[in-house]
């Protein structure tokens, strides 16, 4: 069936449903034979249509990729039908490694280990298997170490459209040495005021 203005939204829905994973806007536009702006408007219409009819399906925007997904409120029902066990939650170590990678990417395993102070090979392997991180290439340094970054699956799991939506890291307070310098100044001024 040729794609025209009348069935563009339905065609986009069919393609995203069939692919089953995040699809780049450029690729979808190419498949639908439209420009990216028209494709974005079509996806906005699709998302609004799904919301308007209270569909069990929603459209996720994951960076510059889009994916159809079941709504989170139906996750338990879907698991019961598919007899899927809940995934084991991530360990604290996995969350720490994920945070280091998400906020500093692309990073090497050595960088993550330097920040954490322990070997992270197993945790990085687990996060790759869960498709929360992936290899993003190699550094042009001796040994050409791999660098890692987050994936669209990471964005989907944490419910954000882009890394810009991650919460800001807390600001560090004054280091101990500066705190002690400040307290010395206060102590000295107290002594001077007594004289």
């Amino acid at each position: 069936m040729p794609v025209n203005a009348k069935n563009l939204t339905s065609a986009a829905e069919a393609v995203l449903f069939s692919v089953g994973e995040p699809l780049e806007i450029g690729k979808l536009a190419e498949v639908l034979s439209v420009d990216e702006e028209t494709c974005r408007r079509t996806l906005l219409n699709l998302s609004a249509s799904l919301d308007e009819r209270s569909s069990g399906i929603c459209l996720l925007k994951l960076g510059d990729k889009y994916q159809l997904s079941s709504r989170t409120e139906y996750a338990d029902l879907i698991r019961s039908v598919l007899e899927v066990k809940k995934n084991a939650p991530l360990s604290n170590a996995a969350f720490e490694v994920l945070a280091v990678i998400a906020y500093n990417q692309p990073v090497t395993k050595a960088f993550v280990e330097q920040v954490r102070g322990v070997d992270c090979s197993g945790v990085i392997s687990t996060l790759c298997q869960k498709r929360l991180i992936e290899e993003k290439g190699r550094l042009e340094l001796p040994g050409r170490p791999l660098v890692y970054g987050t994936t669209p699956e990471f964005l989907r799991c944490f419910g954000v459209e882009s890394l810009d939506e991650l919460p800001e890291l807390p600001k560090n307070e004054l280091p101990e040495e500066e705190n002690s310098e400040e307290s010395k100044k206060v102590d000295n001024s107290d002594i001077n005021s007594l004289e």
Side-chain angles (χ1 to χ4, degrees), residues 3 6 10 20 23-24 26 31-32 40 43-44 53 55 72 83 90 105 114 123 125 131 145 148 150 153 165 173 193:
V3 177
K6 191 174 179 180
S10 297
L23 187 63
E24 290 180 2
V31 168
L32 297 174
R40 278 191 183 84
L43 293 172
L44 282 173
R53 66 180 189 227
S55 174
T72 55
E83 298 178 0
L90 292 176
Q105 64 186 303
Q114 181 180 7
V123 177
S125 175
R131 297 182 0 207
Y148 296 91
T150 55
E153 183 73 9
E165 292 183 22
E173 293 187 19
S193 67

Side-chain angles (χ1 to χ4, degrees), residues 43-89:
L43 293 172
L44 282 173
N45 291 340
L46 174 58
S47 182
S49 170
L50 293 170
D51 291 345
E52 189 178 295
R53 66 180 189 227
S54 299
S55 174
I57 304 296
C58 63
L59 181 66
L60 300 177
K61 182 177 186 294
L62 308 166
D64 65 342
K65 297 181 179 183
Y66 290 83
Q67 178 180 14
L68 285 176
S69 175
S70 57
R71 295 191 189 268
T72 55
E73 56 264 36
Y74 303 116
D76 290 336
L77 293 172
I78 294 165
R79 278 193 193 98
S80 67
V81 169
L82 298 176
E83 298 178 0
V84 175
K85 295 180 186 175
K86 285 187 178 181
N87 285 336

